[in-house]
């Protein structure tokens, strides 16, 4: 399984992903799910992947190959030179569609699932911070003020805290704490989501990454958040009004 | 969808269920999912249902018919006269198996799901408080000190708080608050789980119900829990240590 969460607030974008993949409970591995692309001072983009790993790796290869080829031939459109973030999401969707077309029939014929989804978060100079969720069919939706975050993978355990906390005016600091708490709740309840984590933060109008950090299992800051949250829940619990008549 | 949660602590049993059923997003109805049976001073049993409503209603009919018939013929074994709670769970499982045998093939042939699950919680004089989860095949598991709660229906949103709070030594009061918070989180995140709620509490060695309450949408105590919990989460959030470098 996977858990990736991305938040778009007025101040920028915050993304957090785990690194655990599994094919059955007895086949666990570690793969990075967040990938970053930037032209410093012009744009910074993060993509986060869930679903069939062979599909998402191939989509990522397509994107990288285009970037490499565009060094020779600047006419080639890539997520690093395209006009808008919306166009970048389209390019990810195009790559998804092409990869699905090649592999999906065979994968499904053999009884496996080819579904995958990819979040695309970033900002280019002249545009606003944008967050998109690209589906297996290459279609996509964009986060808005009403729904300022997306989750992929096992989203349920970590959703209640985001529902309560995240609004467009949430600060990057608070959004970062929220995604950490959301991930912590998911890891506690779902064995197939696990450390280490990848945290990516893009501050509005910086056109580079404020943070690209791997959070290891022994990370003291994350452990402190986890402990403080547990303590806060217990304290909040003690202070709840009585319900028994 | 449905959300039912049952907790077995040293002091007794706490059950909470919603009342929303749906066949598609555009076909919402209200059905009670908790049913109580007692012989005052001898035993108190609550069952909670999720899954195919026609299946669970029929299982309940079987249990009720046996109880009615046993008034004429005391030889008939029912959940109210059987020797142990374990045997009561077996009787629910037997009813489930018989109903599944009659309807499952036809239901599945027509493309619907016949799955259902039923929690059986109670205590009889001479035994301990027991909590069982009966599956579609009539087999069942029992809650233990290691896993002192069961959930059926959409369990994920409301699980993290239970994972953190519930242990065998949790008081009935705290367990009740925990299931209320768990339900509140689920209702906020899943439209197909909704008020009113049914709360059932069985205190250890009382052999009757301490609480059998319907909690309506405008219930002031539940709203107070919900508000206090929101406030506690926000306060807990503000007090979290920084994670941004």
């Amino acid at each position: 399984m996977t858990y990736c969460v991305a938040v778009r607030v007025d101040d920028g974008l915050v993304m957090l992903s785990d690194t655990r993949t599994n094919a059955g409970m007895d086949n666990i591995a570690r793969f990075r799910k967040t990938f970053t692309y930037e032209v410093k001072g012009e744009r910074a983009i993060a993509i986060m992947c869930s679903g069939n790993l062979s599909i998402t790796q191939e989509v990522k290869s397509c994107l990288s190959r285009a970037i490499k080829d565009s060094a020779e031939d600047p006419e080639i459109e890539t997520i690093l030179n395209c006009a808008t973030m919306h166009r970048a999401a389209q390019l990810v969707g195009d790559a998804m569609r092409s990869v699905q077309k090649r592999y999906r029939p065979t994968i499904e014929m053999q009884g496996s699932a080819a579904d995958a989804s990819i979040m695309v978060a970033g900002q280019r100079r002249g545009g606003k911070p944008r967050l998109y969720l690209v589906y297996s069919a290459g279609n996509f939706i964009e986060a808005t003020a009403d729904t300022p975050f997306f989750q992929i993978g096992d989203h349920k355990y970590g959703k209640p805290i985001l529902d309560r906390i995240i609004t467009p005016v949430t600060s990057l600091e608070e959004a970062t704490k929220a995604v950490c708490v959301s991930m912590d709740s998911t890891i506690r309840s779902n064995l197939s989501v696990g450390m280490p984590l990848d945290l990516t933060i893009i501050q509005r109008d910086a056109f580079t990454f404020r943070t690209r950090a791997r959070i290891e299992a022994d990370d003291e800051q994350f452990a402190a958040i986890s402990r403080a949250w547990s303590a806060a829940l217990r304290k909040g619990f003690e202070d709840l009004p009585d319900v028994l008549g």
Side-chain angles (χ1 to χ4, degrees), chain A:
Chain A
M1 202 74 183
T2 284
Y3 181 49
C4 302
V5 51
V7 175
R8 192 200 73 170
V9 291
D10 292 345
D11 287 348
L13 299 149
V14 178
M15 284 70 69
L16 185 65
S17 62
D18 83 318
T19 50
R20 192 164 291 175
T21 64
N22 67 301
M25 279 304 289
D26 56 349
N27 191 353
I28 304 274
R30 184 190 292 186
F31 284 94
R32 171 179 283 274
K33 299 166 189 178
T34 299
F35 305 92
T36 56
Y37 304 85
E38 74 175 334
V39 178
K40 263 211 169 76
E42 201 282 321
R43 74 180 60 189
I45 299 175
I47 71 168
M48 303 169 82
C49 306
S50 83
N52 186 303
L53 182 64
S54 68
I55 295 282
T56 57
Q57 283 193 342
E58 190 64 17
V59 170
K60 198 166 58 70
S61 292
C62 292
L63 302 176
S64 301
R65 198 177 322 122
I67 291 169
K68 204 173 162 195
D69 291 350
S70 72
E72 304 288 316
D73 178 0
E75 292 294 300
I76 294 174
E77 193 178 25
T78 76
I79 59 172
L80 284 186
N81 67 17
C82 63
T84 62
M85 279 303 302
H86 182 268
R87 182 62 190 149
Q90 275 187 341
L91 291 174
V92 174
D94 288 350
M96 174 74 86
R97 212 164 20 243
S98 133
V99 173
Q100 288 282 349
K101 192 176 169 190
R102 193 179 326 152
Y103 294 109
R104 192 179 184 92
T106 331
I107 292 174
E108 290 191 338
M109 207 188 313
Q110 301 187 1
S112 293
D115 284 341
S117 43
I118 297 182
M119 293 197 284
V120 182
Q123 187 186 12
R124 51 120 193 151
R125 188 173 285 278
K128 293 178 183 165
R130 302 279 191 184
L131 169 60
Y132 299 92
L133 172 54
V134 180
Y135 297 109
S136 292
N139 56 330
F140 56 88
I141 59 174
E142 184 181 0
T144 64
D146 284 331
T147 299
F149 64 87
F150 286 146
Q151 305 166 283
I152 54 180
D154 190 3
H155 64 283
K156 291 192 175 185
Y157 297 117
K159 185 162 184 284
I161 188 64
L162 301 173
D163 281 337
R164 287 171 191 270
I165 299 290
I166 302 292
T167 72
V169 298
T170 304
S171 68
L172 284 182
E173 168 68 27
E174 293 241 304
T176 304
K177 291 180 189 179
V179 299
C180 286
V181 168
S182 176
M183 180 64 77
D184 185 51
S185 295
T186 307
I187 288 174
R188 275 171 186 265
S189 292
N190 186 336
L191 263 189
S192 70
V193 174
M195 308 282 281
L197 312 175
D198 289 306
L199 174 66
T200 313
I201 301 172
I202 299 173
Q203 189 154 15
R204 186 193 186 94
D205 297 341
F207 311 112
T208 184
F209 295 97
R210 169 161 169 182
T211 305
R212 278 187 284 191
R214 167 139 299 191
I215 299 172
E216 296 289 345
D218 60 356
D219 185 88
E220 190 37 52
Q221 280 192 315
F222 190 80
I225 286 272
S226 178
R227 277 194 310 269
W229 186 240
S230 277
L233 292 182
R234 293 196 168 275
K235 176 69 170 59
F237 229 82
E238 285 164 20
D239 298 345
L240 285 180
D242 285 353
V243 279
L244 285 183

